[in-house]
CSV table of all heavy atoms in Angstrom, one decimal:
chain,number,residue,atom,x,y,z
N,483,MET,N,24.4,245.0,70.4
N,483,MET,CA,23.2,245.7,70.9
N,483,MET,C,22.3,245.8,69.7
N,483,MET,O,22.4,246.9,69.0
N,483,MET,CB,23.6,247.0,71.6
N,483,MET,CG,24.3,246.6,72.9
N,483,MET,SD,25.0,248.2,73.7
N,483,MET,CE,26.6,248.1,72.9
N,484,THR,N,21.4,244.9,69.5
N,484,THR,CA,20.3,244.9,68.4
N,484,THR,C,19.0,244.6,68.9
N,484,THR,O,18.8,244.2,70.1
N,484,THR,CB,20.8,243.9,67.4
N,484,THR,OG1,20.7,242.6,68.0
N,484,THR,CG2,22.3,244.2,66.9
N,487,VAL,N,18.9,241.0,70.2
N,487,VAL,CA,19.3,240.7,71.6
N,487,VAL,C,18.3,241.4,72.5
N,487,VAL,O,17.9,240.8,73.6
N,487,VAL,CB,20.6,241.5,71.8
N,487,VAL,CG1,21.0,241.4,73.3
N,487,VAL,CG2,21.8,240.8,70.9
N,488,GLU,N,17.6,242.4,72.1
N,488,GLU,CA,16.7,243.1,73.0
N,488,GLU,C,15.5,242.2,73.1
N,488,GLU,O,14.9,242.1,74.3
N,488,GLU,CB,16.3,244.5,72.4
N,488,GLU,CG,15.3,245.2,73.1
N,488,GLU,CD,14.8,246.5,72.5
N,488,GLU,OE1,14.7,246.6,71.3
N,488,GLU,OE2,14.9,247.6,73.2
N,489,ASN,N,15.1,241.6,72.0
N,489,ASN,CA,13.9,240.6,72.1
N,489,ASN,C,14.2,239.5,73.1
N,489,ASN,O,13.4,239.1,73.9
N,489,ASN,CB,13.7,240.2,70.7
N,489,ASN,CG,12.6,239.2,70.5
N,489,ASN,OD1,11.4,239.5,71.0
N,489,ASN,ND2,12.8,238.0,70.0
N,491,LEU,N,16.4,239.3,75.6
N,491,LEU,CA,16.6,239.9,77.0
N,491,LEU,C,15.2,240.0,77.6
N,491,LEU,O,14.9,239.6,78.7
N,491,LEU,CB,17.2,241.1,77.0
N,491,LEU,CG,18.8,241.0,76.7
N,491,LEU,CD1,19.4,242.6,76.6
N,491,LEU,CD2,19.5,240.3,77.7
N,492,ASN,N,14.2,240.5,76.8
N,492,ASN,CA,12.9,240.7,77.3
N,492,ASN,C,12.2,239.4,77.5
N,492,ASN,O,11.5,239.3,78.6
N,492,ASN,CB,12.1,241.5,76.3
N,492,ASN,CG,12.4,242.9,76.1
N,492,ASN,OD1,13.0,243.6,77.0
N,492,ASN,ND2,12.1,243.5,75.0
N,495,LYS,N,13.8,238.0,80.8
N,495,LYS,CA,13.4,238.8,82.1
N,495,LYS,C,12.0,238.3,82.5
N,495,LYS,O,11.7,238.3,83.6
N,495,LYS,CB,13.3,240.3,81.7
N,495,LYS,CG,14.6,241.0,81.6
N,495,LYS,CD,14.4,242.4,81.1
N,495,LYS,CE,15.8,243.1,80.9
N,495,LYS,NZ,15.6,244.5,80.4
N,502,MET,N,19.7,236.8,85.8
N,502,MET,CA,20.0,236.8,84.4
N,502,MET,C,21.4,237.4,84.1
N,502,MET,O,21.7,238.4,84.8
N,502,MET,CB,19.0,237.6,83.7
N,502,MET,CG,19.1,237.6,82.2
N,502,MET,SD,17.8,238.3,81.2
N,502,MET,CE,17.8,239.9,81.8
N,504,ALA,N,24.0,238.4,81.0
N,504,ALA,CA,24.4,238.5,79.6
N,504,ALA,C,25.9,238.3,79.5
N,504,ALA,O,26.8,238.8,80.3
N,504,ALA,CB,24.0,240.0,79.1
N,518,GLU,N,31.3,247.3,77.3
N,518,GLU,CA,30.9,247.5,78.6
N,518,GLU,C,30.3,248.8,78.9
N,518,GLU,O,29.3,248.9,79.7
N,518,GLU,CB,32.1,247.1,79.6
N,518,GLU,CG,32.4,245.7,79.7
N,518,GLU,CD,33.6,245.5,80.5
N,518,GLU,OE1,34.3,246.5,80.8
N,518,GLU,OE2,33.9,244.3,80.9
N,519,GLU,N,30.9,249.9,78.3
N,519,GLU,CA,30.5,251.2,78.6
N,519,GLU,C,29.1,251.4,77.9
N,519,GLU,O,28.2,252.1,78.4
N,519,GLU,CB,31.5,252.3,78.0
N,519,GLU,CG,32.8,252.3,78.9
N,519,GLU,CD,33.8,253.2,78.2
N,519,GLU,OE1,33.5,253.7,77.1
N,519,GLU,OE2,34.9,253.4,78.8
N,520,LYS,N,29.0,251.0,76.6
N,520,LYS,CA,27.7,251.1,75.9
N,520,LYS,C,26.6,250.3,76.7
N,520,LYS,O,25.5,250.7,76.6
N,520,LYS,CB,27.8,250.7,74.5
N,520,LYS,CG,28.8,251.6,73.7
N,520,LYS,CD,28.8,251.1,72.2
N,520,LYS,CE,29.8,252.1,71.5
N,520,LYS,NZ,30.0,251.6,70.0
N,521,TRP,N,26.9,249.2,77.1
N,521,TRP,CA,25.9,248.3,77.7
N,521,TRP,C,25.4,248.9,78.9
N,521,TRP,O,24.1,248.8,79.2
N,521,TRP,CB,26.6,246.9,78.1
N,521,TRP,CG,25.5,246.0,78.6
N,521,TRP,CD1,25.2,245.7,80.0
N,521,TRP,CD2,24.8,244.9,77.9
N,521,TRP,NE1,24.3,244.8,80.0
N,521,TRP,CE2,24.0,244.3,78.8
N,521,TRP,CE3,24.7,244.7,76.5
N,521,TRP,CZ2,23.1,243.3,78.3
N,521,TRP,CZ3,23.9,243.8,76.1
N,521,TRP,CH2,23.1,243.0,77.0
N,522,LYS,N,26.1,249.6,79.8
N,522,LYS,CA,25.7,250.2,81.0
N,522,LYS,C,24.6,251.3,80.7
N,522,LYS,O,23.8,251.5,81.4
N,522,LYS,CB,26.9,250.9,81.7
N,522,LYS,CG,27.8,249.8,82.4
N,522,LYS,CD,28.9,250.6,83.1
N,522,LYS,CE,29.9,249.6,83.8
N,522,LYS,NZ,31.0,250.3,84.4
N,523,GLN,N,24.8,252.0,79.6
N,523,GLN,CA,23.7,252.9,79.1
N,523,GLN,C,22.6,252.3,78.6
N,523,GLN,O,21.4,252.8,78.8
N,523,GLN,CB,24.4,253.9,78.1
N,523,GLN,CG,25.6,254.6,78.6
N,523,GLN,CD,26.2,255.5,77.6
N,523,GLN,OE1,25.8,255.6,76.5
N,523,GLN,NE2,27.4,256.1,78.0
N,524,TRP,N,22.7,251.1,77.9
N,524,TRP,CA,21.5,250.6,77.1
N,524,TRP,C,20.7,249.7,78.0
N,524,TRP,O,19.5,249.6,78.0
N,524,TRP,CB,22.2,249.7,76.0
N,524,TRP,CG,21.0,249.2,75.1
N,524,TRP,CD1,19.9,249.9,74.6
N,524,TRP,CD2,20.9,247.8,74.7
N,524,TRP,NE1,19.2,249.0,73.8
N,524,TRP,CE2,19.7,247.7,73.8
N,524,TRP,CE3,21.6,246.7,74.9
N,524,TRP,CZ2,19.3,246.6,73.2
N,524,TRP,CZ3,21.3,245.4,74.3
N,524,TRP,CH2,20.2,245.3,73.5
N,525,GLN,N,21.4,248.7,78.9
N,525,GLN,CA,20.7,247.8,79.8
N,525,GLN,C,21.4,247.8,81.1
N,525,GLN,O,22.1,246.9,81.6
N,525,GLN,CB,20.8,246.3,79.2
N,525,GLN,CG,20.1,246.2,77.8
N,525,GLN,CD,18.6,246.0,78.0
N,525,GLN,OE1,18.1,245.9,79.3
N,525,GLN,NE2,17.9,246.2,76.9
N,526,PRO,N,21.2,248.9,81.8
N,526,PRO,CA,21.8,249.0,83.1
N,526,PRO,C,21.4,247.9,84.2
N,526,PRO,O,22.1,247.6,85.2
N,526,PRO,CB,21.5,250.4,83.6
N,526,PRO,CG,20.3,250.8,82.9
N,526,PRO,CD,20.4,250.1,81.5
N,527,ASP,N,20.2,247.5,84.0
N,527,ASP,CA,19.7,246.6,84.9
N,527,ASP,C,20.0,245.1,84.6
N,527,ASP,O,19.6,244.2,85.5
N,527,ASP,CB,18.1,246.7,85.0
N,527,ASP,CG,17.5,246.5,83.7
N,527,ASP,OD1,18.1,246.6,82.7
N,527,ASP,OD2,16.2,246.2,83.7
N,528,VAL,N,20.7,244.8,83.6
N,528,VAL,CA,21.1,243.5,83.3
N,528,VAL,C,22.6,243.3,83.4
N,528,VAL,O,23.4,244.0,82.9
N,528,VAL,CB,20.7,243.1,81.8
N,528,VAL,CG1,21.2,241.8,81.4
N,528,VAL,CG2,19.2,243.3,81.6
N,529,ARG,N,23.0,242.3,84.2
N,529,ARG,CA,24.4,242.0,84.4
N,529,ARG,C,25.0,241.6,83.3
N,529,ARG,O,24.6,240.6,82.5
N,529,ARG,CB,24.5,241.0,85.6
N,529,ARG,CG,25.9,240.7,86.0
N,529,ARG,CD,26.0,239.5,87.1
N,529,ARG,NE,27.3,239.1,87.3
N,529,ARG,CZ,27.7,237.9,87.9
N,529,ARG,NH1,26.7,237.1,88.3
N,529,ARG,NH2,28.9,237.6,88.0
N,530,LEU,N,26.2,242.2,83.0
N,530,LEU,CA,27.0,241.8,81.8
N,530,LEU,C,28.4,241.2,82.3
N,530,LEU,O,29.0,241.7,83.2
N,530,LEU,CB,27.2,243.0,80.9
N,530,LEU,CG,28.2,242.7,79.7
N,530,LEU,CD1,27.5,241.9,78.7
N,530,LEU,CD2,28.6,244.1,79.0
Side-chain angles (χ1 to χ4, degrees):
M483 286 168 275
T484 63
V487 173
E488 184 179 44
N489 181 56
L491 291 173
N492 289 337
K495 287 175 184 177
M502 185 169 65
E518 287 176 345
E519 291 175 355
K520 292 178 180 179
W521 185 270
K522 288 177 182 178
Q523 297 175 6
W524 185 52
Q525 294 285 347
D527 57 335
V528 178
R529 179 187 172 192
L530 175 70

